[in-house]
């Protein structure tokens, strides 16, 4: 499992003094891109080398995220790999206390596309092999 720290920014806070639900998607995206760049061992633009699009994302909000300085962790893992798509699991976790408090759980489905035509494509052999090496359960 991959973990990416995210700091809450003042601009993320809504009128209820907690992170606006839309910002959860930003945190998940930051972690997803960092994770996939590591999995595919890219040194430049991940999407230029392995074009893909997010086609579905669901989030279960379990508790409000508050403004504070230690970062929250976003854990990411590959849940499954198909012919042209793969599913990532993720969760936003607070590890600053005695236990791991989960604030949100998410599932994201990405589909590989051709970088020029944007048509769906089959995962390449190297791409598929790298993804399969990182399949894990939550």
């Amino acid at each position: 499992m991959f973990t990416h720290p995210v700091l809450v920014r003042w601009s993320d806070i809504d009128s209820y003094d907690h992170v606006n639900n839309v910002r959860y998607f930003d945190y998940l995206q930051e972690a997803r891109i960092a994770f996939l760049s590591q999995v595919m061992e890219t040194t430049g633009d991940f999407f230029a080398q392995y074009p893909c699009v997010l086609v579905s994302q669901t989030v279960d909000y379990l508790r409000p995220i508050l403004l504070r300085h230690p970062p929250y962790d976003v854990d990411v893992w590959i849940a499954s790999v198909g012919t042209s798509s793969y599913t990532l699991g993720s969760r936003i976790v607070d590890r600053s206390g005695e236990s791991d408090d989960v604030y949100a759980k998410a599932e994201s489905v990405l589909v590989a596309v051709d970088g020029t035509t944007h048509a769906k494509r089959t995962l390449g052999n190297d791409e598929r092999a790298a993804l399969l090496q990182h399949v894990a359960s939550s």
Side-chain angles (χ1 to χ4, degrees):
M1 182 174 344
F2 175 84
T3 299
H4 182 76
V6 292
L7 281 171
V8 174
R9 299 168 294 259
W10 177 257
S11 61
D12 297 345
I13 302 302
D14 63 16
S15 60
Y16 297 109
D17 289 329
H18 55 70
V19 171
N20 184 285
N21 62 326
V22 174
R23 295 294 179 207
Y24 286 57
F25 288 86
D26 293 336
Y27 301 161
L28 295 167
Q29 176 178 267
E30 287 176 30
R32 181 173 63 246
I33 292 169
F35 172 65
L36 290 173
S37 294
Q38 178 179 304
V39 165
M40 304 309 275
E41 298 179 357
T42 56
T43 56
D45 181 5
F46 167 79
F47 297 103
Q49 293 180 347
Y50 302 100
C52 62
V53 293
L54 180 69
V55 296
S56 173
Q57 185 164 263
T58 59
V59 177
D60 293 331
Y61 301 96
L62 305 176
R63 60 181 63 184
I65 295 175
L66 305 174
L67 179 65
R68 60 126 202 243
H69 183 56
Y72 291 88
D73 288 334
V74 181
D75 296 335
V76 185
W77 61 92
I78 297 175
S80 65
V81 179
T83 305
S84 61
S85 67
Y86 48 98
T87 302
L88 303 179
S90 49
R91 64 181 167 229
I92 301 173
V93 183
D94 178 5
R95 293 193 170 95
S96 66
E98 303 233 347
S99 63
D100 292 357
D101 296 324
V102 179
Y103 283 67
K105 294 180 180 179
E107 183 176 271
S108 307
V109 179
L110 292 101
V111 171
V113 296
D114 180 276
T116 304
T117 66
H118 305 288
K120 183 169 80 169
R121 66 175 172 82
T122 301
L123 292 168
N125 291 337
D126 293 341
E127 186 177 18
R128 184 174 173 70
L131 292 166
L132 285 171
Q133 286 181 358
H134 293 86
V135 172
S137 59
S138 59

